PDB file of all heavy atoms in Angstrom:
ATOM      1  N   MET A  20       6.517   8.950 -17.928  1.00 65.00           N
ATOM      2  CA  MET A  20       6.693   7.743 -17.135  1.00 65.00           C
ATOM      3  C   MET A  20       6.611   8.121 -15.660  1.00 65.00           C
ATOM      4  O   MET A  20       7.335   8.961 -15.169  1.00 65.00           O
ATOM      5  CB  MET A  20       8.048   7.126 -17.470  1.00 65.00           C
ATOM      6  CG  MET A  20       8.365   5.907 -16.646  1.00 65.00           C
ATOM      7  SD  MET A  20       9.811   5.007 -17.186  1.00 65.00           S
ATOM      8  CE  MET A  20      11.124   5.975 -16.499  1.00 65.00           C
ATOM      9  N   THR A  21       5.699   7.483 -14.975  1.00 83.00           N
ATOM     10  CA  THR A  21       5.510   7.722 -13.553  1.00 83.00           C
ATOM     11  C   THR A  21       6.266   6.663 -12.770  1.00 83.00           C
ATOM     12  O   THR A  21       6.265   5.497 -13.115  1.00 83.00           O
ATOM     13  CB  THR A  21       4.010   7.652 -13.198  1.00 83.00           C
ATOM     14  OG1 THR A  21       3.302   8.539 -14.052  1.00 83.00           O
ATOM     15  CG2 THR A  21       3.785   8.044 -11.759  1.00 83.00           C
ATOM     16  N   ARG A  22       6.915   7.097 -11.688  1.00 87.00           N
ATOM     17  CA  ARG A  22       7.656   6.173 -10.841  1.00 87.00           C
ATOM     18  C   ARG A  22       6.848   5.925  -9.569  1.00 87.00           C
ATOM     19  O   ARG A  22       6.253   6.830  -9.000  1.00 87.00           O
ATOM     20  CB  ARG A  22       9.024   6.761 -10.447  1.00 87.00           C
ATOM     21  CG  ARG A  22       9.926   7.150 -11.590  1.00 87.00           C
ATOM     22  CD  ARG A  22      10.400   6.016 -12.433  1.00 87.00           C
ATOM     23  NE  ARG A  22      11.241   5.091 -11.677  1.00 87.00           N
ATOM     24  CZ  ARG A  22      11.718   3.977 -12.186  1.00 87.00           C
ATOM     25  NH1 ARG A  22      11.426   3.627 -13.420  1.00 87.00           N
ATOM     26  NH2 ARG A  22      12.465   3.177 -11.479  1.00 87.00           N
ATOM     27  N   LEU A  23       6.818   4.672  -9.140  1.00 86.00           N
ATOM     28  CA  LEU A  23       6.154   4.288  -7.902  1.00 86.00           C
ATOM     29  C   LEU A  23       7.216   3.983  -6.858  1.00 86.00           C
ATOM     30  O   LEU A  23       8.228   3.364  -7.162  1.00 86.00           O
ATOM     31  CB  LEU A  23       5.300   3.037  -8.106  1.00 86.00           C
ATOM     32  CG  LEU A  23       4.108   3.122  -9.052  1.00 86.00           C
ATOM     33  CD1 LEU A  23       3.444   1.759  -9.171  1.00 86.00           C
ATOM     34  CD2 LEU A  23       3.113   4.145  -8.576  1.00 86.00           C
ATOM     35  N   THR A  24       6.958   4.387  -5.626  1.00 87.00           N
ATOM     36  CA  THR A  24       7.838   3.991  -4.538  1.00 87.00           C
ATOM     37  C   THR A  24       7.616   2.511  -4.248  1.00 87.00           C
ATOM     38  O   THR A  24       6.655   1.910  -4.730  1.00 87.00           O
ATOM     39  CB  THR A  24       7.556   4.807  -3.262  1.00 87.00           C
ATOM     40  OG1 THR A  24       6.229   4.499  -2.811  1.00 87.00           O
ATOM     41  CG2 THR A  24       7.690   6.299  -3.507  1.00 87.00           C
ATOM     42  N   ALA A  25       8.491   1.926  -3.456  1.00 88.00           N
ATOM     43  CA  ALA A  25       8.345   0.508  -3.115  1.00 88.00           C
ATOM     44  C   ALA A  25       7.044   0.281  -2.353  1.00 88.00           C
ATOM     45  O   ALA A  25       6.360  -0.720  -2.557  1.00 88.00           O
ATOM     46  CB  ALA A  25       9.547   0.052  -2.296  1.00 88.00           C
ATOM     47  N   ARG A  26       6.696   1.206  -1.478  1.00 86.00           N
ATOM     48  CA  ARG A  26       5.450   1.058  -0.716  1.00 86.00           C
ATOM     49  C   ARG A  26       4.239   1.098  -1.637  1.00 86.00           C
ATOM     50  O   ARG A  26       3.305   0.316  -1.482  1.00 86.00           O
ATOM     51  CB  ARG A  26       5.350   2.166   0.332  1.00 86.00           C
ATOM     52  CG  ARG A  26       4.141   2.013   1.233  1.00 86.00           C
ATOM     53  CD  ARG A  26       4.182   2.969   2.362  1.00 86.00           C
ATOM     54  NE  ARG A  26       5.252   2.560   3.252  1.00 86.00           N
ATOM     55  CZ  ARG A  26       5.400   2.986   4.489  1.00 86.00           C
ATOM     56  NH1 ARG A  26       4.545   3.821   4.992  1.00 86.00           N
ATOM     57  NH2 ARG A  26       6.397   2.578   5.228  1.00 86.00           N
ATOM     58  N   GLU A  27       4.246   1.983  -2.627  1.00 87.00           N
ATOM     59  CA  GLU A  27       3.132   2.065  -3.570  1.00 87.00           C
ATOM     60  C   GLU A  27       3.065   0.817  -4.447  1.00 87.00           C
ATOM     61  O   GLU A  27       1.976   0.299  -4.717  1.00 87.00           O
ATOM     62  CB  GLU A  27       3.278   3.308  -4.445  1.00 87.00           C
ATOM     63  CG  GLU A  27       3.073   4.608  -3.709  1.00 87.00           C
ATOM     64  CD  GLU A  27       3.440   5.829  -4.530  1.00 87.00           C
ATOM     65  OE1 GLU A  27       4.256   5.706  -5.461  1.00 87.00           O
ATOM     66  OE2 GLU A  27       2.916   6.916  -4.222  1.00 87.00           O
ATOM     67  N   ALA A  28       4.224   0.319  -4.889  1.00 87.00           N
ATOM     68  CA  ALA A  28       4.246  -0.877  -5.731  1.00 87.00           C
ATOM     69  C   ALA A  28       3.727  -2.094  -4.966  1.00 87.00           C
ATOM     70  O   ALA A  28       2.908  -2.858  -5.473  1.00 87.00           O
ATOM     71  CB  ALA A  28       5.659  -1.134  -6.242  1.00 87.00           C
ATOM     72  N   LEU A  29       4.180  -2.281  -3.728  1.00 85.00           N
ATOM     73  CA  LEU A  29       3.722  -3.418  -2.930  1.00 85.00           C
ATOM     74  C   LEU A  29       2.260  -3.257  -2.537  1.00 85.00           C
ATOM     75  O   LEU A  29       1.528  -4.242  -2.439  1.00 85.00           O
ATOM     76  CB  LEU A  29       4.604  -3.591  -1.695  1.00 85.00           C
ATOM     77  CG  LEU A  29       6.027  -4.059  -2.012  1.00 85.00           C
ATOM     78  CD1 LEU A  29       6.904  -3.980  -0.777  1.00 85.00           C
ATOM     79  CD2 LEU A  29       6.031  -5.457  -2.584  1.00 85.00           C
ATOM     80  N   SER A  30       1.819  -2.019  -2.322  1.00 83.00           N
ATOM     81  CA  SER A  30       0.411  -1.773  -2.026  1.00 83.00           C
ATOM     82  C   SER A  30      -0.457  -2.176  -3.210  1.00 83.00           C
ATOM     83  O   SER A  30      -1.522  -2.774  -3.046  1.00 83.00           O
ATOM     84  CB  SER A  30       0.197  -0.297  -1.697  1.00 83.00           C
ATOM     85  OG  SER A  30      -1.160  -0.024  -1.452  1.00 83.00           O
ATOM     86  N   TYR A  31       0.000  -1.882  -4.416  1.00 81.00           N
ATOM     87  CA  TYR A  31      -0.749  -2.289  -5.602  1.00 81.00           C
ATOM     88  C   TYR A  31      -0.788  -3.813  -5.715  1.00 81.00           C
ATOM     89  O   TYR A  31      -1.813  -4.391  -6.069  1.00 81.00           O
ATOM     90  CB  TYR A  31      -0.144  -1.677  -6.861  1.00 81.00           C
ATOM     91  CG  TYR A  31      -0.945  -1.994  -8.089  1.00 81.00           C
ATOM     92  CD1 TYR A  31      -2.103  -1.296  -8.370  1.00 81.00           C
ATOM     93  CD2 TYR A  31      -0.577  -3.027  -8.937  1.00 81.00           C
ATOM     94  CE1 TYR A  31      -2.872  -1.609  -9.479  1.00 81.00           C
ATOM     95  CE2 TYR A  31      -1.336  -3.342 -10.048  1.00 81.00           C
ATOM     96  CZ  TYR A  31      -2.477  -2.624 -10.313  1.00 81.00           C
ATOM     97  OH  TYR A  31      -3.238  -2.943 -11.399  1.00 81.00           O
ATOM     98  N   GLY A  32       0.330  -4.462  -5.390  1.00 81.00           N
ATOM     99  CA  GLY A  32       0.375  -5.912  -5.446  1.00 81.00           C
ATOM    100  C   GLY A  32      -0.518  -6.581  -4.423  1.00 81.00           C
ATOM    101  O   GLY A  32      -1.058  -7.656  -4.666  1.00 81.00           O
ATOM    102  N   MET A  33      -0.699  -5.948  -3.267  1.00 79.00           N
ATOM    103  CA  MET A  33      -1.517  -6.539  -2.212  1.00 79.00           C
ATOM    104  C   MET A  33      -2.997  -6.191  -2.345  1.00 79.00           C
ATOM    105  O   MET A  33      -3.856  -7.034  -2.148  1.00 79.00           O
ATOM    106  CB  MET A  33      -1.016  -6.057  -0.844  1.00 79.00           C
ATOM    107  CG  MET A  33       0.340  -6.579  -0.468  1.00 79.00           C
ATOM    108  SD  MET A  33       0.961  -5.820   1.035  1.00 79.00           S
ATOM    109  CE  MET A  33      -0.213  -6.408   2.241  1.00 79.00           C
ATOM    110  N   PHE A  34      -3.281  -4.923  -2.628  1.00 74.00           N
ATOM    111  CA  PHE A  34      -4.659  -4.435  -2.561  1.00 74.00           C
ATOM    112  C   PHE A  34      -5.236  -3.971  -3.895  1.00 74.00           C
ATOM    113  O   PHE A  34      -6.420  -3.687  -3.980  1.00 74.00           O
ATOM    114  CB  PHE A  34      -4.751  -3.265  -1.576  1.00 74.00           C
ATOM    115  CG  PHE A  34      -4.315  -3.594  -0.184  1.00 74.00           C
ATOM    116  CD1 PHE A  34      -3.074  -3.201   0.275  1.00 74.00           C
ATOM    117  CD2 PHE A  34      -5.139  -4.301   0.660  1.00 74.00           C
ATOM    118  CE1 PHE A  34      -2.665  -3.509   1.564  1.00 74.00           C
ATOM    119  CE2 PHE A  34      -4.743  -4.615   1.944  1.00 74.00           C
ATOM    120  CZ  PHE A  34      -3.504  -4.215   2.398  1.00 74.00           C
ATOM    121  N   GLY A  35      -4.395  -3.820  -4.927  1.00 72.00           N
ATOM    122  CA  GLY A  35      -4.877  -3.262  -6.189  1.00 72.00           C
ATOM    123  C   GLY A  35      -4.988  -1.758  -6.144  1.00 72.00           C
ATOM    124  O   GLY A  35      -5.541  -1.137  -7.035  1.00 72.00           O
ATOM    125  N   SER A  36      -4.443  -1.143  -5.109  1.00 72.00           N
ATOM    126  CA  SER A  36      -4.462   0.309  -4.932  1.00 72.00           C
ATOM    127  C   SER A  36      -3.085   0.745  -4.449  1.00 72.00           C
ATOM    128  O   SER A  36      -2.490   0.076  -3.606  1.00 72.00           O
ATOM    129  CB  SER A  36      -5.514   0.717  -3.905  1.00 72.00           C
ATOM    130  OG  SER A  36      -5.326   2.044  -3.488  1.00 72.00           O
ATOM    131  N   THR A  37      -2.576   1.845  -4.976  1.00 77.00           N
ATOM    132  CA  THR A  37      -1.237   2.285  -4.591  1.00 77.00           C
ATOM    133  C   THR A  37      -1.207   3.009  -3.252  1.00 77.00           C
ATOM    134  O   THR A  37      -0.138   3.283  -2.729  1.00 77.00           O
ATOM    135  CB  THR A  37      -0.638   3.202  -5.666  1.00 77.00           C
ATOM    136  OG1 THR A  37      -1.494   4.325  -5.862  1.00 77.00           O
ATOM    137  CG2 THR A  37      -0.441   2.457  -6.970  1.00 77.00           C
ATOM    138  N   THR A  38      -2.357   3.321  -2.662  1.00 76.00           N
ATOM    139  CA  THR A  38      -2.376   4.076  -1.400  1.00 76.00           C
ATOM    140  C   THR A  38      -2.834   3.257  -0.204  1.00 76.00           C
ATOM    141  O   THR A  38      -2.693   3.701   0.930  1.00 76.00           O
ATOM    142  CB  THR A  38      -3.311   5.289  -1.534  1.00 76.00           C
ATOM    143  OG1 THR A  38      -4.618   4.830  -1.871  1.00 76.00           O
ATOM    144  CG2 THR A  38      -2.819   6.247  -2.594  1.00 76.00           C
ATOM    145  N   LYS A  39      -3.373   2.091  -0.398  1.00 73.00           N
ATOM    146  CA  LYS A  39      -3.990   1.321   0.690  1.00 73.00           C
ATOM    147  C   LYS A  39      -2.980   0.874   1.748  1.00 73.00           C
ATOM    148  O   LYS A  39      -3.273   0.895   2.938  1.00 73.00           O
ATOM    149  CB  LYS A  39      -4.701   0.112   0.090  1.00 73.00           C
ATOM    150  CG  LYS A  39      -5.425  -0.729   1.079  1.00 73.00           C
ATOM    151  CD  LYS A  39      -6.830  -0.304   1.233  1.00 73.00           C
ATOM    152  CE  LYS A  39      -7.582  -1.354   2.020  1.00 73.00           C
ATOM    153  NZ  LYS A  39      -8.537  -0.844   2.900  1.00 73.00           N
ATOM    154  N   LEU A  40      -1.775   0.464   1.358  1.00 76.00           N
ATOM    155  CA  LEU A  40      -0.792  -0.029   2.318  1.00 76.00           C
ATOM    156  C   LEU A  40      -0.395   1.056   3.303  1.00 76.00           C
ATOM    157  O   LEU A  40      -0.178   0.782   4.477  1.00 76.00           O
ATOM    158  CB  LEU A  40       0.441  -0.578   1.588  1.00 76.00           C
ATOM    159  CG  LEU A  40       1.527  -1.200   2.451  1.00 76.00           C
ATOM    160  CD1 LEU A  40       0.988  -2.371   3.259  1.00 76.00           C
ATOM    161  CD2 LEU A  40       2.703  -1.641   1.612  1.00 76.00           C
ATOM    162  N   GLN A  41      -0.307   2.297   2.851  1.00 73.00           N
ATOM    163  CA  GLN A  41       0.037   3.407   3.747  1.00 73.00           C
ATOM    164  C   GLN A  41      -0.993   3.513   4.863  1.00 73.00           C
ATOM    165  O   GLN A  41      -0.641   3.682   6.027  1.00 73.00           O
ATOM    166  CB  GLN A  41       0.099   4.715   2.958  1.00 73.00           C
ATOM    167  CG  GLN A  41       0.457   5.926   3.793  1.00 73.00           C
ATOM    168  CD  GLN A  41       1.865   5.876   4.334  1.00 73.00           C
ATOM    169  OE1 GLN A  41       2.777   5.426   3.663  1.00 73.00           O
ATOM    170  NE2 GLN A  41       2.053   6.320   5.556  1.00 73.00           N
ATOM    171  N   ASP A  42      -2.267   3.391   4.526  1.00 71.00           N
ATOM    172  CA  ASP A  42      -3.328   3.464   5.532  1.00 71.00           C
ATOM    173  C   ASP A  42      -3.259   2.286   6.491  1.00 71.00           C
ATOM    174  O   ASP A  42      -3.481   2.429   7.689  1.00 71.00           O
ATOM    175  CB  ASP A  42      -4.708   3.492   4.863  1.00 71.00           C
ATOM    176  CG  ASP A  42      -4.885   4.705   3.971  1.00 71.00           C
ATOM    177  OD1 ASP A  42      -4.186   5.714   4.209  1.00 71.00           O
ATOM    178  OD2 ASP A  42      -5.692   4.641   3.036  1.00 71.00           O
ATOM    179  N   GLU A  43      -2.947   1.092   5.962  1.00 72.00           N
ATOM    180  CA  GLU A  43      -2.920  -0.114   6.793  1.00 72.00           C
ATOM    181  C   GLU A  43      -1.734  -0.127   7.748  1.00 72.00           C
ATOM    182  O   GLU A  43      -1.809  -0.718   8.819  1.00 72.00           O
ATOM    183  CB  GLU A  43      -2.893  -1.368   5.918  1.00 72.00           C
ATOM    184  CG  GLU A  43      -4.052  -1.502   4.963  1.00 72.00           C
ATOM    185  CD  GLU A  43      -5.393  -1.660   5.647  1.00 72.00           C
ATOM    186  OE1 GLU A  43      -5.442  -2.195   6.767  1.00 72.00           O
ATOM    187  OE2 GLU A  43      -6.402  -1.217   5.080  1.00 72.00           O
ATOM    188  N   LEU A  44      -0.618   0.498   7.370  1.00 70.00           N
ATOM    189  CA  LEU A  44       0.580   0.490   8.220  1.00 70.00           C
ATOM    190  C   LEU A  44       0.567   1.581   9.283  1.00 70.00           C
ATOM    191  O   LEU A  44       1.384   1.552  10.194  1.00 70.00           O
ATOM    192  CB  LEU A  44       1.844   0.635   7.359  1.00 70.00           C
ATOM    193  CG  LEU A  44       2.196  -0.577   6.492  1.00 70.00           C
ATOM    194  CD1 LEU A  44       3.392  -0.260   5.619  1.00 70.00           C
ATOM    195  CD2 LEU A  44       2.473  -1.794   7.342  1.00 70.00           C
ATOM    196  N   ASN A  45      -0.321   2.543   9.179  1.00 70.00           N
ATOM    197  CA  ASN A  45      -0.401   3.595  10.195  1.00 70.00           C
ATOM    198  C   ASN A  45      -0.799   2.987  11.536  1.00 70.00           C
ATOM    199  O   ASN A  45      -1.597   2.053  11.589  1.00 70.00           O
ATOM    200  CB  ASN A  45      -1.428   4.664   9.795  1.00 70.00           C
ATOM    201  CG  ASN A  45      -0.888   5.582   8.737  1.00 70.00           C
ATOM    202  OD1 ASN A  45       0.313   5.729   8.571  1.00 70.00           O
ATOM    203  ND2 ASN A  45      -1.789   6.205   8.006  1.00 70.00           N
ATOM    204  N   PRO A  46      -0.266   3.526  12.635  1.00 65.00           N
ATOM    205  CA  PRO A  46      -0.663   3.007  13.950  1.00 65.00           C
ATOM    206  C   PRO A  46      -2.169   3.166  14.150  1.00 65.00           C
ATOM    207  O   PRO A  46      -2.731   4.214  13.869  1.00 65.00           O
ATOM    208  CB  PRO A  46       0.111   3.879  14.938  1.00 65.00           C
ATOM    209  CG  PRO A  46       1.198   4.516  14.154  1.00 65.00           C
ATOM    210  CD  PRO A  46       0.730   4.579  12.735  1.00 65.00           C
ATOM    211  N   GLY A  47      -2.810   2.106  14.592  1.00 63.00           N
ATOM    212  CA  GLY A  47      -4.258   2.134  14.776  1.00 63.00           C
ATOM    213  C   GLY A  47      -5.006   2.064  13.467  1.00 63.00           C
ATOM    214  O   GLY A  47      -6.200   2.295  13.414  1.00 63.00           O
ATOM    215  N   GLY A  48      -4.294   1.742  12.390  1.00 61.00           N
ATOM    216  CA  GLY A  48      -4.911   1.666  11.070  1.00 61.00           C
ATOM    217  C   GLY A  48      -5.697   0.390  10.895  1.00 61.00           C
ATOM    218  O   GLY A  48      -6.089  -0.280  11.846  1.00 61.00           O
ATOM    219  N   GLY A  49      -5.874   0.018   9.663  1.00 63.00           N
ATOM    220  CA  GLY A  49      -6.679  -1.150   9.337  1.00 63.00           C
ATOM    221  C   GLY A  49      -5.920  -2.456   9.517  1.00 63.00           C
ATOM    222  O   GLY A  49      -4.916  -2.533  10.217  1.00 63.00           O
ATOM    223  N   ASP A  50      -6.404  -3.454   8.852  1.00 64.00           N
ATOM    224  CA  ASP A  50      -5.848  -4.796   8.959  1.00 64.00           C
ATOM    225  C   ASP A  50      -5.071  -5.107   7.693  1.00 64.00           C
ATOM    226  O   ASP A  50      -5.647  -5.180   6.609  1.00 64.00           O
ATOM    227  CB  ASP A  50      -6.985  -5.809   9.151  1.00 64.00           C
ATOM    228  CG  ASP A  50      -6.473  -7.223   9.319  1.00 64.00           C
ATOM    229  OD1 ASP A  50      -5.281  -7.383   9.642  1.00 64.00           O
ATOM    230  OD2 ASP A  50      -7.264  -8.148   9.142  1.00 64.00           O
ATOM    231  N   ILE A  51      -3.763  -5.278   7.828  1.00 68.00           N
ATOM    232  CA  ILE A  51      -2.909  -5.528   6.670  1.00 68.00           C
ATOM    233  C   ILE A  51      -3.213  -6.886   6.039  1.00 68.00           C
ATOM    234  O   ILE A  51      -2.917  -7.127   4.887  1.00 68.00           O
ATOM    235  CB  ILE A  51      -1.424  -5.409   7.061  1.00 68.00           C
ATOM    236  CG1 ILE A  51      -0.568  -5.226   5.822  1.00 68.00           C
ATOM    237  CG2 ILE A  51      -0.966  -6.598   7.848  1.00 68.00           C
ATOM    238  CD1 ILE A  51       0.836  -4.813   6.101  1.00 68.00           C
ATOM    239  N   LYS A  52      -3.867  -7.771   6.775  1.00 68.00           N
ATOM    240  CA  LYS A  52      -4.186  -9.104   6.267  1.00 68.00           C
ATOM    241  C   LYS A  52      -5.387  -9.091   5.330  1.00 68.00           C
ATOM    242  O   LYS A  52      -5.754 -10.128   4.792  1.00 68.00           O
ATOM    243  CB  LYS A  52      -4.447 -10.051   7.431  1.00 68.00           C
ATOM    244  CG  LYS A  52      -3.208 -10.272   8.269  1.00 68.00           C
ATOM    245  CD  LYS A  52      -3.474 -11.193   9.420  1.00 68.00           C
ATOM    246  CE  LYS A  52      -2.188 -11.376  10.188  1.00 68.00           C
ATOM    247  NZ  LYS A  52      -2.302 -11.188  11.580  1.00 68.00           N
ATOM    248  N   SER A  53      -6.004  -7.942   5.120  1.00 64.00           N
ATOM    249  CA  SER A  53      -7.189  -7.884   4.261  1.00 64.00           C
ATOM    250  C   SER A  53      -6.840  -7.863   2.781  1.00 64.00           C
ATOM    251  O   SER A  53      -7.729  -7.896   1.945  1.00 64.00           O
ATOM    252  CB  SER A  53      -8.026  -6.651   4.610  1.00 64.00           C
ATOM    253  OG  SER A  53      -7.307  -5.475   4.306  1.00 64.00           O
ATOM    254  N   GLY A  54      -5.566  -7.825   2.442  1.00 67.00           N
ATOM    255  CA  GLY A  54      -5.156  -7.806   1.042  1.00 67.00           C
ATOM    256  C   GLY A  54      -5.307  -9.164   0.392  1.00 67.00           C
ATOM    257  O   GLY A  54      -5.415 -10.197   1.050  1.00 67.00           O
TER     258      GLY A  54
END
């Protein structure tokens, strides 16, 4: 059983990927509204 952090779980809910939210929240990153 794999555990997801809250950031990974919400990233999956927004983008369908567990890593995308981390990239979007970085300073100068992408657009969080693209989910």
Side-chain angles (χ1 to χ4, degrees):
M20 177 171 80
T21 307
R22 303 294 296 176
L23 296 177
T24 64
R26 185 171 290 196
E27 291 171 336
L29 291 170
S30 178
Y31 184 79
M33 292 173 65
F34 301 102
S36 166
T37 58
T38 58
K39 183 91 168 143
L40 183 59
Q41 180 66 38
D42 299 336
E43 302 296 331
L44 290 176
N45 283 337
D50 182 19
I51 198 168
K52 295 179 179 131
S53 65

